[in-house]
Amino acid sequence: MIRINLSKVLGEERLTQARLARETEIRPNTISELYHELVDRVNLNHLDKICEVLGCDLSDILEYEPNEKSTD
């Protein structure tokens, strides 16, 4: 599973979703969907803008977490 850690990064930077939306010129609804991990697809240009504004690496925003294996 891919985790989106935008909420964690914004908290560490003390940056609001609204401010990130303004600085990246990404729609506030899109930022909110990323923040709450409600997306199935991510626009690479959006990730580029977010990393640029936050001064972070892509690995700070996205994280791979192995799926739990079922024991059925």
Side-chain angles (χ1 to χ4, degrees):
M1 161 186 329
I2 303 297
R3 305 287 315 190
I4 302 173
N5 295 321
L6 185 58
S7 61
K8 177 181 162 190
V9 175
L10 287 181
E12 290 170 354
E13 296 294 321
R14 299 216 185 278
L15 196 66
T16 64
Q17 292 180 51
R19 183 169 172 198
L20 181 62
R22 278 192 308 275
E23 291 188 20
T24 58
E25 298 180 347
I26 297 172
R27 292 176 342 127
N29 286 349
T30 301
I31 296 294
S32 177
E33 290 171 353
L34 289 167
Y35 183 92
H36 294 288
E37 298 186 74
L38 300 174
V39 296
D40 291 326
R41 298 172 188 198
V42 182
N43 183 308
L44 295 178
N45 290 328
H46 289 171
L47 290 175
D48 183 51
K49 288 179 181 181
I50 290 168
C51 288
E52 186 176 321
V53 166
L54 295 176
C56 68
D57 205 37
L58 185 57
S59 63
D60 296 325
I61 304 291
L62 299 178
E63 173 185 4
Y64 172 71
E65 193 174 278
N67 294 320
E68 293 182 18
K69 293 183 179 163
S70 116
T71 57
D72 293 348

